Amino acid sequence: MFGKKILGTILCAAIAFTALTGCAGGGTKKVGISMPTQDLQRWNQDGAYMKEKFEAAGYEVDLQYAGNKADTQLSQVENMINSGCKVLIIAAIESSSLGTALDKAAKKKIPVIAYDRLIMDNENVDYYATFDNGLVGKLQGEYVRDALNLDSTSGPYNIEFTAGDPGDNNATFFFNGAMEVLKPYIDAGKLVCVSGQTDFSSVATAEWNTANAQSRAENIIGTYYADKQIDAWLCSNDSTAQGVANALEKLYTGAYPVVTGQDCDKVSVKNMINGKQTMSIFKDTRTLAARTVTMVNQILNNETVEVNDTSTYNNNKKVVPTFLCDPVSVDLSNYQKVLIDSGYYTQADIDNA
Ligand code: GAL
């Protein structure tokens, strides 16, 4: 009787411990994955692919979305640390607001991987897995340059800019990458930004939010383009491109401009087919998820962690060793091959978007 009671107590303690640590199955390693929001298609996909790949590799996964709220993300990450996660994978909402959690993780020797968004101003960021962010912007800028034949026609052409969230370190990489290509044409007078808004802080979009991008675009169209043509609208990603497309549809009557984007969200691919967006950048979340699983395996097995950039991503405390995956420029000419034939989407996914 007494023996049974002790056994029961031990069992209960073990169950409670398992619940606390998440280490079910005799030492299954738990991975904490903190994603910014479910509002944007891509993060749902990133989260789902990683969960699938980590579970297939034998890990337990704690996947959390933070509703684009930095304080929610902070407490979710702290819970992951307290509940026994052995490694953290974080796509930060605000690049500098996770410091206290990262310090706690470091004390517990929990490695941190910044996932597609660099975490700034903290030395406890061990690795960064991402796409070549500067190249994303460069590909967008080159697309505009080539679509408008800037090297072989005299113009001038009118262009407007819509960039990403100022709290996301990537946003400046995208904008600067595009500007590196386009600024010489602006300086030469071949490209004219009629609103005059060409600096990052004037063209940034809080939270990469479609409605925010739309209302700024409506203002610009209403104020500057009543009787002028817009030849190109450089948008840093798809959620902002969708806002600009909505504004153009509502207020603009001239010839449709070249509109760039990034992520190949289903809605934006559909917009490409319907002529409301011209291009997007494909970042294959399957590749990034697989790379992240490889990184985690290498870290936890004490193997050399494969990286391919050890100079670009300085987070103000250190240069974070990075693995850069390749972004691909997509438009009507190759979306079928890149997105459908590769099995990323079905045609029905696009049709029903
Ligand atoms: C960035 C990311 C982009 C885009 C954006 C909006 O950090 O690199 O691909 O999706 O966030 O969430």
Side-chain angles (χ1 to χ4, degrees):
M1 186 69 189
F2 182 67
K4 262 191 191 163
K5 207 171 173 189
I6 292 184
L7 193 66
T9 312
I10 293 173
L11 260 178
C12 282
I15 289 165
F17 179 75
T18 302
L20 201 69
T21 59
C23 290
T28 306
K29 286 187 177 142
K30 188 159 79 158
V31 175
I33 303 177
S34 170
M35 294 282 111
T37 174
Q38 290 194 284
D39 289 350
L40 261 64
Q41 184 203 314
R42 71 153 296 185
W43 302 115
N44 294 286
Q45 250 160 306
D46 286 279
Y49 279 131
M50 268 194 285
K51 188 166 165 22
E52 185 188 311
K53 291 202 157 80
F54 273 114
E55 284 176 351
Y59 292 91
E60 186 187 340
V61 172
D62 181 1
L63 168 63
Q64 302 286 338
Y65 288 87
N68 252 341
K69 299 229 167 7
D71 52 347
T72 305
Q73 184 164 46
L74 181 63
S75 65
Q76 286 176 341
V77 171
E78 284 178 343
N79 284 340
M80 288 171 184
I81 295 168
N82 295 335
S83 73
C85 287
K86 295 291 176 242
V87 60
L88 295 172
I89 296 157
I90 304 170
I93 294 164
E94 275 173 22
S95 59
S96 302
S97 55
L98 290 166
T100 50
L102 297 198
D103 295 345
K104 276 185 201 158
K107 273 199 194 110
K108 290 195 165 187
K109 299 204 171 11
I110 301 171
V112 173
I113 299 176
Y115 183 88
D116 208 32
R117 290 180 175 174
L118 185 57
I119 303 173
M120 304 297 287
D121 304 314
N122 191 290
E123 60 215 331
N124 303 313
V125 183
D126 297 284
Y127 295 97
Y128 182 28
T130 187
F131 290 84
D132 188 334
N133 296 297
L135 180 58
V136 168
K138 191 163 173 256
L139 291 172
Q140 293 168 331
E142 287 173 349
Y143 196 96
V144 169
R145 178 195 67 197
D146 297 345
L148 297 181
N149 291 314
L150 292 180
D151 287 329
S152 55
T153 56
S154 50
Y157 300 98
N158 295 335
I159 187 166
E160 293 296 332
F161 298 89
T162 294
D165 188 321
D168 177 352
N169 184 60
N170 287 352
T172 45
F173 271 87
F174 302 144
F175 186 69
N176 293 343
M179 270 303 186
E180 211 173 281
V181 179
L182 298 176
K183 186 153 181 307
Y185 300 97
I186 297 176
D187 292 344
K190 254 191 191 186
L191 277 179
V192 178
C193 179
V194 180
S195 72
Q197 297 173 22
T198 54
D199 63 300
F200 177 76
S201 57
S202 321
V203 305
T205 310
E207 293 180 2
W208 297 92
N209 179 281
T210 298
N212 293 346
Q214 179 171 345
S215 71
R216 179 173 165 269
E218 285 182 9
N219 269 332
I220 288 177
I221 297 166
T223 312
Y224 301 101
Y225 289 95
D227 53 3
K228 279 199 177 72
Q229 166 124 347
I230 308 171
D231 298 296
W233 204 307
L234 190 291
C235 300
S236 289
N237 87 329
D238 284 349
S239 56
T240 55
Q242 288 160 25
V244 168
N246 293 343
L248 288 167
E249 196 169 12
K250 195 163 151 193
L251 298 177
Y252 178 72
T253 49
Y256 206 82
V258 174
V259 177
T260 67
Q262 168 184 196
D263 289 337
C264 286
D265 285 354
K266 292 173 207 164
V267 170
S268 280
V269 179
K270 194 174 184 181
N271 278 356
M272 279 198 274
I273 296 168
N274 295 332
K276 294 185 197 167
Q277 185 173 325
T278 321
M279 64 85 73
S280 187
I281 301 289
F282 180 47
K283 309 208 297 194
D284 193 330
T285 49
R286 296 171 299 189
T287 312
L288 191 58
R291 171 50 53 188
T292 309
V293 175
T294 304
M295 263 188 177
V296 168
N297 281 332
Q298 290 170 337
I299 294 170
L300 296 181
N301 294 330
N302 286 324
E303 291 164 10
T304 307
V305 178
E306 214 183 323
V307 291
N308 59 13
D309 184 307
T310 50
S311 62
T312 311
Y313 292 96
N314 188 326
N315 79 346
N316 300 330
K317 292 287 180 193
K318 70 193 250 197
V319 176
V320 182
T322 297
F323 195 99
L324 294 176
C325 303
D326 293 327
V328 177
S329 182
V330 167
D331 67 3
L332 269 191
S333 71
N334 65 347
Y335 88 91
Q336 176 81 34
K337 180 167 166 263
V338 177
L339 301 176
I340 314 279
D341 298 351
S342 75
Y344 196 75
Y345 293 140
T346 62
Q347 189 62 50
D349 286 334
I350 308 300
D351 296 343
N352 301 329

